[in-house]
Amino acid sequence: MEKLVFILFMGLYAAVFSESKNAVAPEIHKKQIEITKELTKVDSLYQSMNLKDVVNYKAFKEAMEGYQLLPAKNKDILSIIDFTLASTEKRLIVLDIKNEKVLFHSLVSHGKNSGSNYATSFSNTPESYQSSLGFYVTENTYQGENGYSLVLNGLEEGFNDKAKSRAVVVHGADYVNTGIVSALGRLGRSYGCPALPRELSKPIINTIKDGTLLFIYADNEEYFAKSKVLNHRNALMAHYEKDMADRQFGTLN
């Protein structure tokens, strides 16, 4: 008799669980569709702005992940630095997302201890003289040792949140030009700042200052694995699934 009761109980539990799972599935599927639509918009924007020969798709996609998630005073402008490229190539792109235009495409330096022609090592540590990956929001401008400069506030703990204390800023530099490339086979390097050509530094700084997002990208496994910004969507989806399941079981109990 006890065995029969146990079998009946397990059958009832399986039926309830199945009902719960079936009820939750459409909601989860709906959320997955919403995320897919957002990614489709990214693809469409990449094509409509003719970015294929300007910035690699993965860098743009990851930049748009943060752009959609992070708050910023001015969401019309988005800047991307792609450190998978050599310093001899134009690695900075400034985009007008609102009007779907490329505003600037420029050379940009990396930190002296990040690598020679390619930036391959990154750090958030003071005095490391390395570049830092991740998302930043631009702040105020000032006149400093390197002339007209732009303060950067790193938004990612452990990756770039010490940018301000390290004085990692956007500024112009004489070592960022094609003449240096011809002489050295690479750009000159900074103490960690994304330094620009002198002739472009002021117009670029004036375009991106006061609350726009800047994303510094590299093919870096540690960053991809640990960035809370880039992993937010997966974490959100997992949390959403759990929440939906908990709520469904709650209604059945």
Side-chain angles (χ1 to χ4, degrees), residues 107 174-188 197 199:
L107 295 171
D174 294 331
Y175 52 77
V176 185
N177 63 64
T178 53
I180 294 294
V181 170
S182 298
L184 301 178
R186 59 166 173 80
L187 283 187
E199 67 275 13

Side-chain angles (χ1 to χ4, degrees), residues 77-88:
I77 305 297
L78 173 65
S79 304
I80 303 169
I81 294 174
D82 182 3
F83 277 152
T84 64
L85 300 175
S87 69
T88 52

Side-chain angles (χ1 to χ4, degrees), residues 134-201:
F135 289 90
Y136 301 76
V137 65
T138 64
E139 295 189 349
N140 59 289
T141 61
Y142 68 97
Q143 285 290 338
E145 293 181 359
N146 295 298
Y148 193 52
S149 304
L150 173 63
V151 175
L152 295 176
N153 183 16
L155 302 177
E156 299 204 62
E157 184 178 358
F159 288 103
N160 63 19
D161 58 315
K162 295 181 180 178
K164 290 177 76 171
S165 63
R166 293 178 60 203
V168 173
V169 301
V170 180
H171 63 80
D174 294 331
Y175 52 77
V176 185
N177 63 64
T178 53
I180 294 294
V181 170
S182 298
L184 301 178
R186 59 166 173 80
L187 283 187
R189 295 164 298 174
S190 67
Y191 286 169
C193 298
L196 305 172
R198 288 284 187 195
E199 67 275 13
L200 288 177
S201 60

Side-chain angles (χ1 to χ4, degrees), residues 27-45 57 61 65 68 233-234 236-237:
E27 291 296 327
I28 294 175
H29 182 61
K30 181 180 178 182
K31 195 68 178 178
Q32 290 171 333
I33 289 174
E34 290 176 5
I35 290 174
T36 301
K37 284 182 178 179
E38 287 183 14
L39 295 176
T40 301
K41 289 179 182 178
V42 171
D43 293 346
S44 177
L45 189 62
Y57 174 74
K61 176 180 173 293
E65 288 271 348
Q68 292 168 347
R233 198 184 299 278
N234 290 336
L236 181 66
M237 194 64 213

Side-chain angles (χ1 to χ4, degrees), residues 10-253:
M10 291 304 296
L12 177 62
Y13 176 82
V16 170
F17 181 79
S18 177
E19 179 184 347
S20 171
K21 186 176 180 181
N22 290 337
V24 171
E27 291 296 327
I28 294 175
H29 182 61
K30 181 180 178 182
K31 195 68 178 178
Q32 290 171 333
I33 289 174
E34 290 176 5
I35 290 174
T36 301
K37 284 182 178 179
E38 287 183 14
L39 295 176
T40 301
K41 289 179 182 178
V42 171
D43 293 346
S44 177
L45 189 62
Y46 188 77
Q47 294 176 18
S48 65
M49 293 182 70
N50 297 312
L51 297 178
K52 183 179 179 181
D53 297 323
V54 181
V55 60
N56 87 66
Y57 174 74
K58 189 172 181 181
F60 178 73
K61 176 180 173 293
E62 306 293 10
M64 290 302 296
E65 288 271 348
Y67 173 85
Q68 292 168 347
L69 172 67
L70 297 168
K73 180 181 176 181
N74 181 0
K75 297 296 285 282
D76 292 345
I77 305 297
L78 173 65
S79 304
I80 303 169
I81 294 174
D82 182 3
F83 277 152
T84 64
L85 300 175
S87 69
T88 52
E89 299 183 62
K90 294 180 178 181
R91 302 184 289 185
L92 167 69
I93 181 170
V94 180
L95 303 173
D96 180 342
I97 299 296
K98 180 180 179 181
N99 296 302
E100 299 188 5
K101 293 180 179 179
V102 176
L103 301 180
F104 296 98
H105 193 197
S106 171
L107 295 171
V108 62
S109 72
H110 57 257
K112 61 183 293 188
N113 288 339
S114 281
S116 182
N117 192 23
Y118 286 87
T120 55
S121 300
F122 307 95
S123 176
N124 192 38
T125 305
E127 307 302 321
S128 66
Y129 299 151
Q130 293 183 346
S131 298
S132 301
L133 299 177
F135 289 90
Y136 301 76
V137 65
T138 64
E139 295 189 349
N140 59 289
T141 61
Y142 68 97
Q143 285 290 338
E145 293 181 359
N146 295 298
Y148 193 52
S149 304
L150 173 63
V151 175
L152 295 176
N153 183 16
L155 302 177
E156 299 204 62
E157 184 178 358
F159 288 103
N160 63 19
D161 58 315
K162 295 181 180 178
K164 290 177 76 171
S165 63
R166 293 178 60 203
V168 173
V169 301
V170 180
H171 63 80
D174 294 331
Y175 52 77
V176 185
N177 63 64
T178 53
I180 294 294
V181 170
S182 298
L184 301 178
R186 59 166 173 80
L187 283 187
R189 295 164 298 174
S190 67
Y191 286 169
C193 298
L196 305 172
R198 288 284 187 195
E199 67 275 13
L200 288 177
S201 60
K202 188 171 184 178
I204 289 177
I205 287 173
N206 283 339
T207 299
I208 69 174
K209 66 181 181 180
D210 296 332
T212 72
L213 291 172
L214 165 67
F215 177 53
I216 298 182
Y217 169 85
D219 189 9
N220 184 274
E221 291 184 5
E222 181 182 7
Y223 176 70
F224 292 147
K226 297 181 179 180
S227 168
K228 292 181 180 179
V229 176
L230 296 188
N231 288 291
H232 174 80
R233 198 184 299 278
N234 290 336
L236 181 66
M237 194 64 213
H239 176 78
Y240 184 82
E241 290 179 11
K242 183 179 183 302
D243 181 62
M244 286 299 301
D246 288 347
R247 280 193 289 163
Q248 185 63 30
F249 276 119
T251 60
L252 292 172
N253 291 336

